[in-house]
Amino acid sequence: MTVIEDTEKLISRFGWPDYLVFVAMLSVSAIIGIYYACAGGKQSTTSEFLMAGRSMSTFPVAMSLIASFMSAITLLGTPAEVYQFGTMYWLIGISYFIVMPATNYLYLPIFYNLQVTSAYEYLELRFHKVIRCLGSATFTVQMSLYMAVVVYAPALALSQVTGINVYLSVTAIFVVCIFYTVVGGMKAVMWTDTLQVIIMYAAMIAVIVKGHVDVGGWSVVWNANQATGRVEFSDFDVNPGKRHSFWSLVVGGYFTWITIYGVNQSQVQRYLTVSKINQARNAVWINLVGLSVLLSVCCYGGMVIFAKYADCDPLSAKYVSKPDQLFPLFVMDTLGHIPGVPGLFVAGIFSGALSTVSSGLNSLAAICLEDFVKPFCCVGMSDERATKVSKGLAIGFGFLCFGLVFVASQLGNILEAALSIFGIIGGPLLGVFTLGIFFPWANSVGAGVGVIASLGLMLWIGIGTQVAKAHGFLKLTSKLYSTDGCRALNATLTTALVELNGFVSSTTASSATQTSPEDEPLGLYQLSYMWYSTVGCCTVIVVGLIVSALTGFQDPRKLNPGLICNTGNTVYWFLPKNIREYLRFEVGDDYVTTDTI
């Protein structure tokens, strides 16, 4: 029989040593900001504040790449995903090994050679200023929503099992982030990212190892998960409505993550903080190892948590109310009696949130300054004034994202919500960059119509899906779990669960009512969220090329060759020279150098 302490008892375990560890992490992050405010260039120029003087070394850049998007969402959402739905999600790691080479040799060289501050400067050079502004505005919405999700989600999850007030922790994160981002600039952001990644790994590995030993080791963990069908790696269903399959995780996962590593402002900005392109590439390779390790730790953590609660599901027993609270419950239940360890875990989770928010604030300040303020509001402003404006922008975006926390509270499953945001908004952005980089015939009209059409389609799918879920038309059925070993189970809940040989599924009695055919949601709303980026990207490319054909293709010979990826040499390097020359499509043969932005 599994014995889970009452929530009140678990909360009481979070004592002053744990608060001390948590406060220490926040304090060190603030101190790093103060140090870089007083050292070196003292953040008095935009180059220092936004680009770290382009003098960073490989290691902190690699750590910052990991920290920026493998946030608290990953640390809490991935174990909950595996606990509920099994190990299929683990296969998304395969896509990492496709994404990183594509980033290093297809996308990164374009941005690095241009030495841009805002990735969206590329869109003006390749297409038109309007496309640049559209891209920047879209990214601003995407990143603001994402930051709100990654702060609110862990705060809510931890509140129930540690007693930390949700809005107190949210406020603390934003205050500390805004402080060290504004006073310490990009150097402070990247070095705090490095510290926070170390804390994340230490906390996660310590908790999972202890849990692994407590439940009886690998064989117990494997057998418990296999008995309920959670060990699954061979779902090759090609149905795009299948939430997680090999194809959605590998192909869809590629498009989801290349959106982040290939063209996202936060990552591009980090690539350009080093002095040599090989340093940036090495940082991406190190990041690949770090991502793969963290994914494996989190997925195995989900298996360990299920093995711990195999005969008493905490969700059914109402020990927790949301899947994202499973991991915090596990920590407090197994390690809560050791002073300081829960505090280390909380510090690790909030480190993920801190790193994402600080990276986002700096990136949003950069694109707003470069894409809106300088071109439209303050043409010819001095660098000193631009630096002050960028700091003010970082503060403003911090308050905006704090307000969006209340929107994030309505988004449900945090892992799916986070990746959906990148698919719905990031897919069209990936599409317009890909259209420009790989299709030299595309013109600015095609790019504009393509990205607007894609955004419209993806917002329709995304909003429609949320409405369908809210009305109960779309339901997820988890793997089997048991409540036989619980000490006590709410009687009302028991009657509402569908029993099957001592196990129950997550489908409750309310879902037993069949939906009539006329109430079935539109087929598009059943599309797996893992395909959002793919659909968004491909829509831009297809519509963009069709419109370009109708309005007159761009002449590749007149294009700046630095704006186009030479696929003949990078992708098809193994082909004969004459074929590789043909695949260059005569890009830049008649190009005449003109002044850039």
Side-chain angles (χ1 to χ4, degrees), residues 49 176 215 218 294 317 348 361 371 396 431 535 582:
F49 182 71
V176 172
V215 299
W218 165 254
L294 189 58
L361 292 180
D371 298 340
V535 173
Y582 173 78

Side-chain angles (χ1 to χ4, degrees), residues 154-188:
L156 178 64
L158 292 167
S159 66
Q160 184 169 344
V161 292
T162 63
I164 299 177
N165 181 272
V166 174
Y167 293 102
L168 177 63
S169 55
V170 166
T171 303
I173 288 175
F174 274 109
V175 168
V176 172
C177 268
I178 292 171
F179 175 77
Y180 74 73
T181 300
V182 170
V183 303
M186 179 60 90
K187 285 184 178 178

Side-chain angles (χ1 to χ4, degrees), residues 54-56 112 115 271-277 279:
R54 302 186 192 268
S55 62
M56 295 298 291
Y112 194 89
Q115 286 292 295
Y271 302 149
L272 272 68
T273 60
V274 295
S275 58
K276 298 178 181 178
I277 192 171
Q279 290 178 287

Side-chain angles (χ1 to χ4, degrees), residues 191-204:
W191 279 111
T192 52
D193 283 352
T194 303
L195 167 70
Q196 288 153 9
V197 164
I198 293 171
I199 294 173
M200 276 195 290
Y201 276 92
M204 294 297 292

